[in-house]
Amino acid sequence: MSRESEADLPGEAPLPGELSEALCAELIAFRRDLHMHPELGNQEFRTTAAIRARLEAAGLEPRVLPGGTGLICDIGMPAAHASATSGAVRPVLAIRADIDALPIPDAKAGVPYRSTVPDRAHACGHDVHTTTVLGTGLVLAELHREGLLPAPVRLLFQPAEEVLPGGAADAIVAGALDGVGRIIAVHCDPRVDAGKIGLRPGAITSACDRLEVFLDGPGGHTARPHLTTDLVTAVARVASDVPALLARRIDARAGLALTWGRIESGHACNVIPMHAELAGTVRCLDLSAWRDAPDLVHAAIDEVATLHGAKSEINYVRGVPPVVNDPAVTELLRDAMTARRGPFSVEDTEQSLGGEDFSWYLEHVPGAMARLGVRTPGSHARLDLHRGDFDADESAIKVGVELFTAAALLDGNRS
């Protein structure tokens, strides 16, 4: 494989931690096994057991999180680090993966690793994230045995990223960040070629909340809508008018978007129903606007529902704030990728309207998330995340391991 690396730069020694062909093949097999056996958030018992077994086989001592799914695994950690959080002990670098799948069917055809579980699929690339961090742990464990790991590293395999407000909050309560000074992660991006990553200092994702709206009225005959509440019209107006109202009540630069994913009402063509429901997400690029969003959304829904004579009940579930990449940690990822694959392996990326609970870690410690390219170079397929036909170019696993191992080495040597 031809690429520019530190070995090609005058006066620079190459970073250790190259992956063998045997390890690359093992990691691809591990990812395919996870892909065939997807598990939903807080139900990832098989996934947790598989990760734990492989780490233990490498001589490591992973600790399962209190909920029974997800793990923490420290590499090169002095005994004092197990309970110490004082300033006398150098804060460690944490590398995070999310391990859960989505409740959608796997629509891929012609691949031997298609999901074997009905209505479950790794359609967001968490199997790739998990395998990448596992591979990183195996490489770093070997470097530690050889005396080449300059500073301790923590692996964090987090459950329930897809379950708002996300499993990150539970992991933090369980001590995942104890002794941690910086945290890094990747997320698959089917718009970026395998072999590259996308980086952005500052906000790289949006805030994401869940919204459910319940409308009620007396019901009646469709021959006499004037004698009752026309609930179907009311729910239709809430669906169309509330997003429009919000667009005029918040700065457009905040990027607030209310998008409906479900609407239900009625059972017969000649009966005005007594109940209707809508559900969707509220996404926002700006942190301050996200904090104002619940009050604005409540007010807009109440106004439209009242106008049409419907009684409204709103369930607004706070999700996650935006992932805001720390500039210094972002540069660490840039330097790490450049050291492994040269400057052209890094591209700038825009802020996404997707949500990610990695943001909760960044409320406590600086960190950064990179977009890991999973599109086969030269491919014109327009795959996206959260689709049943999503798949990843598996060469991205090696790229992710190279990125993380280089980041751990560079970060340790800079202390």
Side-chain angles (χ1 to χ4, degrees):
M1 178 169 53
S2 174
R3 67 177 188 267
E4 182 183 356
S5 69
E6 279 200 342
D8 303 314
L9 301 177
E12 295 287 350
L15 289 173
E18 286 290 325
L19 281 72
S20 67
E21 291 185 7
L23 179 56
C24 289
E26 179 191 350
L27 293 176
I28 289 174
F30 190 91
R31 179 258 170 171
R32 292 185 176 190
D33 179 71
L34 295 186
H35 202 86
M36 293 172 67
H37 302 93
E39 297 174 301
L40 299 183
N42 295 317
Q43 301 173 24
E44 312 96 330
F45 297 103
R46 184 187 186 278
T47 302
T48 298
I51 300 166
R52 179 179 184 176
R54 186 61 185 92
L55 292 172
E56 290 179 340
L60 298 171
E61 299 180 356
R63 310 187 302 277
V64 177
L65 295 174
T69 65
L71 310 93
I72 296 171
C73 185
D74 294 331
I75 304 173
M77 197 76 75
H81 242 104
S83 59
T85 57
S86 69
V89 180
R90 180 185 186 273
V92 302
L93 175 71
I95 307 174
R96 175 265 201 174
D98 38 10
I99 66 175
D100 57 326
L102 285 163
I104 63 175
D106 191 336
K108 292 189 298 298
V111 297
Y113 49 86
R114 183 178 176 181
S115 172
T116 61
V117 184
D119 299 321
R120 303 287 186 268
H122 270 294
C124 200
H126 293 189
D127 54 335
V128 174
H129 306 166
T130 300
T131 305
T132 296
V133 176
L134 173 66
T136 300
L138 299 179
V139 172
L140 293 181
E142 181 61 29
L143 291 177
H144 177 60
R145 284 189 289 270
E146 297 172 358
L148 298 175
L149 184 63
V153 174
R154 172 167 297 164
L155 311 179
L156 170 55
F157 298 90
Q158 177 213 302
E161 189 276 332
E162 298 288 355
V163 182
L164 288 178
D170 292 334
I172 292 168
V173 171
L177 294 182
D178 291 353
V180 169
R182 297 154 306 286
I183 187 168
I184 56 176
V186 295
H187 199 295
C188 289
D189 191 337
R191 302 166 301 170
V192 178
D193 283 350
K196 296 184 177 183
I197 63 169
L199 286 176
R200 176 187 175 89
I204 192 172
T205 71
S206 78
C208 179
D209 298 334
R210 186 174 75 241
L211 175 65
E212 295 175 311
V213 181
F214 308 96
L215 301 181
D216 290 289
H221 200 296
T222 56
R224 292 175 288 278
H226 58 292
L227 299 180
T228 186
T229 295
D230 186 351
L231 208 61
V232 171
T233 295
V235 74
R237 299 305 288 183
V238 168
S240 61
D241 291 357
V242 170
L245 276 175
L246 291 173
R248 292 296 177 268
R249 294 183 178 179
I250 196 164
D251 191 327
R253 292 170 295 182
L256 188 145
L258 167 56
T259 306
W260 304 108
R262 180 176 67 86
I263 182 169
E264 296 181 14
S265 186
H267 300 281
C269 66
N270 61 345
V271 176
I272 294 175
M274 300 172 65
H275 185 72
E277 298 182 9
L278 303 93
T281 59
V282 178
R283 300 177 185 272
C284 192
L285 299 175
D286 180 74
L287 186 58
S288 62
W290 176 67
R291 292 180 175 133
D292 294 336
D295 290 341
L296 290 169
V297 170
H298 273 78
I301 291 171
D302 286 341
E303 284 183 33
V304 176
T306 300
L307 180 64
H308 292 275
K311 179 183 177 182
S312 63
E313 180 182 343
I314 301 166
N315 181 27
Y316 194 108
V317 180
R318 268 306 201 189
V320 294
V323 172
V324 181
N325 282 345
D326 177 79
V329 183
T330 304
E331 282 307 300
L332 171 65
L333 292 175
R334 184 181 301 275
D335 291 345
M337 192 65 175
T338 300
R340 292 295 195 199
R341 293 184 167 247
F344 297 108
S345 63
V346 181
E347 60 183 51
D348 295 333
T349 190
E350 75 277 6
Q351 184 179 4
S352 164
L353 274 169
E356 236 289 352
D357 77 349
F358 185 72
S359 56
W360 291 124
Y361 300 113
L362 306 188
E363 298 280 303
H364 301 270
V365 297
M369 171 174 280
R371 300 239 169 89
L372 179 67
V374 295
R375 179 178 62 192
T376 300
S379 171
H380 299 291
R382 298 181 63 85
L383 296 181
D384 200 359
L385 303 172
H386 287 221
R387 277 178 36 166
D389 59 354
F390 171 77
D391 204 355
D393 186 317
E394 291 173 318
S395 66
I397 295 170
K398 180 180 181 182
V399 178
V401 175
E402 290 177 338
L403 170 69
F404 284 148
T405 54
L409 293 168
L410 292 178
D411 181 68
N413 284 321
R414 289 173 180 176
S415 62

